[in-house]
Amino acid sequence: MPAISIDRTLRRVSIDARDPAFYRDPLAAYAEIHAQCPAFFWEERQQWYFAGYDLVNALLRDRRFGRQILHVATRDELGLPLPKPHLKDFDALEAHSLLELEPPAHTRLRTLVNRAFVSRQIEQLRPDIEQLSHALIDSFADDGEVELLKSFAETLPVTIIARMLGIPVEAAPDLLDWSHRMVRMYVFNPSYETELDANQASADFADYLRGIIAEKCRTPADDLLTHMITSEKDGERLSEAELVSTTALLLNAGHEATVHQIGNAVKTILQSGLPAKDLFATETATALTVEECLRFAAPLHIFQRYALSDIELDEGVTLRKGDKIGLLLGAANVDPKKFTGPNAFRPTRDEGANVSFGAGLHFCIGAPLARLELNLALPILFQRLPNMRLKNEPEVKDAFHFHGLERLDLVW
């Protein structure tokens, strides 16, 4: 159990996000928070956080909050520091990111991209995902052991999203490297060295994408990137900067969380002792198992938003314009008021939706793709390797935001 201090009266919580006992298994801390103050002021973070399912779900949809703030206030007004010069390339990629925008810019961008991610379009990828899953397993099935993240969990989603976009699959190692270096920026208090490295990765990623975009303009193809280049809304097309940001986001988000979720799911299922043949016996059983893995071992634990005005929440929390709040998706998924015995892995559970993909305006655009990949890849993996087991206790990444494994060594 991590060291956690809770003042129930003042609703203040002290907990070190870098404490291995916390980030390796935050469920015990979440249980304490749910029992004492699911809306709390996190001392170390100096902002309000929310853990209850109903409130997190409502705040994700509440238009009084947004992912950006400078469209309604100035830096001077809010006392925000100036952008860091050494992060200019990282910030440039973020500037037009769907994840960071609010309407009307968000609406325009999302409309141009959304068509490729609706379920009927994604369903057409089923044969590709199945074929690739088998091909990857073929490459290590006779070895008797594998480190699953690099050999399977990383390669599958990055290959699929690259093919969708029309990015050469041979670039996958670079795409993964750039992505991993960039997402380190989202942990609490990244170091100066991390910032420099993320900025360099952003610059290299953007340069690469500009080259690909130029080639697509010269030679259009039947892929998502060409679609984004040529699509119009109200007579407008995406600018090069918007194309670069959107493509980088889709490549990063299109695999980063899915990698963690495949690893988390395999670890969870193997540690549960439940027979995989039952968990994946039918499409319905598979879907329930996948949703329970998403609930119980979510890859993303925090989604942050700004108060766009002075707000008084019903919970007695007073927020000023520009205040940041943290929505604990991982905690909401184990709220005992929503899920019975929430800290137990029960694949037959059918108690409503998890919030692992968010909700509202910024609901994950790639959710249908991620769900299809999980619903196909996990059964194939367990059918092909029915005797696989954990070689050792997997090490959890030192990053509270993203709950994932450093590596996942399996033997059979």
Side-chain angles (χ1 to χ4, degrees), residues 111-373:
T111 301
L112 289 170
V113 177
N114 200 49
R115 197 170 74 192
F117 285 90
V118 294
S119 296
R120 66 180 178 276
Q121 289 288 110
I122 294 300
E123 187 61 30
Q124 296 174 14
L125 296 170
R126 180 179 288 263
D128 281 358
I129 296 170
E130 291 176 335
Q131 181 182 17
L132 181 56
S133 295
H134 281 293
L136 291 172
I137 295 168
D138 286 343
S139 70
F140 57 75
D142 294 335
D143 297 342
E145 64 178 306
V146 71
E147 194 290 291
L148 194 75
L149 298 190
K150 286 208 178 302
S151 299
F152 186 81
E154 281 188 352
T155 311
L156 176 69
V158 76
T159 302
I160 295 298
I161 194 67
R163 285 179 184 171
M164 277 183 72
L165 281 158
I167 305 286
V169 173
E170 308 82 69
D174 284 334
L175 300 176
L176 289 165
D177 178 57
W178 292 325
S179 175
H180 293 335
R181 290 159 62 195
M182 288 170 65
V183 299
R184 293 192 189 112
M185 281 293 294
Y186 301 114
V187 302
F188 290 145
N189 303 323
S191 68
Y192 180 72
E193 290 72 25
T194 295
E195 291 180 338
L196 285 178
D197 191 53
N199 193 72
Q200 186 61 55
S202 302
D204 294 342
F205 201 172
D207 282 346
Y208 174 77
L209 291 176
R210 279 190 282 269
I212 294 288
I213 289 164
E215 178 61 32
K216 297 286 180 191
C217 289
R218 289 191 295 269
T219 314
D222 182 17
D223 54 47
L224 176 53
L225 186 48
T226 300
H227 162 73
M228 291 195 298
I229 290 167
T230 57
S231 288
E232 291 188 11
K233 178 173 169 56
D234 302 327
E236 287 189 58
R237 292 189 177 188
L238 296 180
S239 67
E240 183 186 66
E242 288 172 328
L243 285 166
V244 170
S245 280
T246 304
T247 305
L249 172 68
L250 293 174
L251 282 164
N252 288 354
H255 77 272
E256 195 75 39
T258 310
V259 172
H260 291 323
Q261 189 58 69
I262 291 173
N264 292 353
V266 171
K267 170 181 177 284
T268 297
I269 290 166
L270 290 176
Q271 289 184 331
S272 75
L274 298 170
K277 61 179 173 52
D278 294 343
L279 302 186
F280 303 116
T282 64
E283 282 193 13
T284 300
T286 297
L288 284 172
T289 297
V290 166
E291 292 307 306
E292 179 67 348
C293 288
L294 283 163
R295 182 200 71 83
F296 180 79
L300 179 64
H301 276 230
I302 294 180
F303 193 68
Q304 302 206 71
R305 304 186 77 197
Y306 287 101
L308 301 180
S309 60
D310 294 349
I311 298 170
E312 184 79 35
L313 294 177
D314 291 342
E315 292 68 30
V317 175
T318 300
L319 299 167
R320 301 298 303 274
K321 182 177 182 178
D323 282 351
K324 253 186 173 180
I325 62 168
L327 308 179
L328 293 172
L329 307 181
N333 282 339
V334 290
D335 183 351
K337 292 180 180 175
K338 173 68 176 176
F339 302 101
T340 57
N343 288 5
F345 177 67
R346 292 184 194 156
T348 55
R349 187 191 300 274
D350 193 5
E351 297 178 312
N354 59 72
V355 290
S356 295
F357 290 114
L361 189 71
H362 288 287
F363 179 79
C364 176
I365 198 170
L369 175 58
R371 283 192 161 110
L372 184 63
E373 288 172 338

Side-chain angles (χ1 to χ4, degrees), residues 97-115:
S97 168
L98 264 175
L99 192 59
E100 306 299 334
L101 294 176
E102 291 299 305
H106 177 273
T107 311
R108 174 174 157 270
L109 262 177
R110 184 148 182 153
T111 301
L112 289 170
V113 177
N114 200 49
R115 197 170 74 192

Side-chain angles (χ1 to χ4, degrees), residues 57-71:
N57 195 27
L59 289 172
L60 284 167
R61 303 167 191 272
D62 193 327
R63 297 301 306 281
R64 296 175 298 170
F65 294 87
R67 284 290 292 174
Q68 59 181 185
I69 188 64
L70 295 179
H71 62 308

Side-chain angles (χ1 to χ4, degrees), residues 1-58:
M1 173 74 184
I4 179 169
S5 169
I6 298 178
D7 186 324
R8 189 169 187 166
T9 305
L10 296 177
R11 291 189 295 179
R12 290 184 170 253
V13 171
S14 175
I15 188 164
D16 179 6
R18 298 298 302 276
D19 178 357
F22 177 55
Y23 68 73
R24 285 175 185 160
D25 184 9
L27 298 191
Y30 289 162
E32 282 293 309
I33 288 166
H34 282 304
Q36 299 196 50
C37 52
F40 65 94
F41 190 82
W42 191 338
E43 294 282 9
E44 284 80 359
R45 305 302 312 146
Q46 285 295 295
Q47 68 184 62
W48 283 92
Y49 280 77
F50 302 91
Y53 179 92
D54 288 342
L55 189 53
V56 166
N57 195 27

